[in-house]
Amino acid sequence: MKNWKNVLDSARIGESKYKLLVQAIAGEIERGELVHDQRLPPQRQVADALGISVQTVTNAYKELERQGLVRCEIGRGSFVSRRMSDRVADDIIDLPERTLVDFSITRILHTQAHERIWRDTCAELSVEEDQPWIHAYRPIAGFESHREAAVRWLAGLGMNVERDDVLVTNGAAHGIFLALASLAGPDDVVLCEGLTDHGVIGNSQVLGFTLKGLEMDRDGIDPEHFEDLCSNERVTALVCTPNLNNPTTSLMPDARRREIAAIARRFGVHIIEDDVYGPLLGERHAPPISHYAPELSFYCTSMTKSVLTGLRVGYLAMPKRLALRTESILRVNSWMATPLVAEIATRWINDGRAAQLAELQRKLISARQAMVREHLGEYLLGNPAQALGAWLGIPAHWEVDSLVRALRRRHIAVTPPEPFLVRGTPRPRAVRLCVGAECSDTKMRKALADMHELFGQYPQIHEL
């Protein structure tokens, strides 16, 4: 605490002591002087040592928690916590090694058909004289033609909306952020699956709302837990992924969707539905939860997990009474989605190329999921044939971290549960495997066979 005291002692008149303390502690975390999981001194001890009030220390610890640098556990104390972005960088590989079979990143499979359609589109655009999408500046919500295409795409996913209730976004993550920013701030409670996409957890740190995880089973969110929290707290919103939750791959049945929508209506809780994987289900899936409570719902999907990875365009359907507010946040956040990318998506929707690529993706994923079932079927915790990932329970004789390290030594990367874990949710004994790895089917079969062999072995007593 010596550095903390030096910082406070050098404060100028009028400077906030709690903010200076935040800066001092954050600096030590960033420099690695305070490490992940290290316990911070008790607040009373810090106050006595620095000659400040306990309330000042409490405010500093709360701000550090809001920034994602500290986690405060009732009855245990305050601990250093890596930022979500840091954890994702560690747990999801950014730059694949040449020999690595990288099952850590959720991505679709890229084929020559994708390459051909992309090149054909580039050739079409290169000879057109009138290209208003590269001159656009005013249409914040998106060109009318782009929003009309969005309406058609959403209708195929079970959402019947009007053009003025749709925003074009830079992917689904952008849409989810806009929805959350429209509803939630530091005084709000937002619920989500106990295991959720890491972007939702990051949004809670950026926007400052309190995020709480709901209990889950093989069908997704437990309605009883949802209702219980709504009965006892003022809940602002529920963020959920009913179709192929990341990482668990749960697929919520229609009856439960209706039940969740009814509970949300009863308590006035907004629904933010992430349906980025919906297009992978074809025509077999149930309607979105948002279909049953449209007046409360933000519904978001995109092209990146079904049509083409680099086609970062999304569509956000909004409740009518919040449409203007959300559009204004889009204006402040990014002015508008990239019109050129939206134009390409519009053409592919209108001429059927988007549907063609989504259908191709469904076939490719189904074939790879069959490989996973063949080699690792006994460890699967739910495994829809259309899911881009597989949620694997690990054998009792392994610890998650040891298994992940052992796999990396065999040049296989998978993702542990940490990036998806909402605070307070028990850590599952499971890892996520993504089937869209950029490798041949032969190499994938070999990697899956190696995984099966390793799962059956006992770990070494002392890891090197």
Side-chain angles (χ1 to χ4, degrees), residues 191-202:
L191 306 180
C192 65
E193 293 103 338
L195 290 161
T196 190
D197 186 87
H198 56 81
V200 177
I201 302 173

Side-chain angles (χ1 to χ4, degrees), residues 10 44 56 103 111 123 133 166-167 184 214 320 324 369 409 428 434 445 455:
S10 64
R44 171 66 67 183
T56 297
F103 293 132
T111 69
W133 44 86
V166 176
L167 290 182
L214 291 167
K320 287 184 180 296
L324 291 177
Q369 286 286 9
R409 287 194 288 272
C434 296
R445 286 184 183 278
F455 274 40

Side-chain angles (χ1 to χ4, degrees), residues 285-303:
H285 65 301
I289 296 176
S290 302
H291 171 79
Y292 297 117
E295 77 282 3
L296 289 171
S297 297
F298 288 85
Y299 172 90
C300 189
T301 190
S302 80
M303 298 283 184

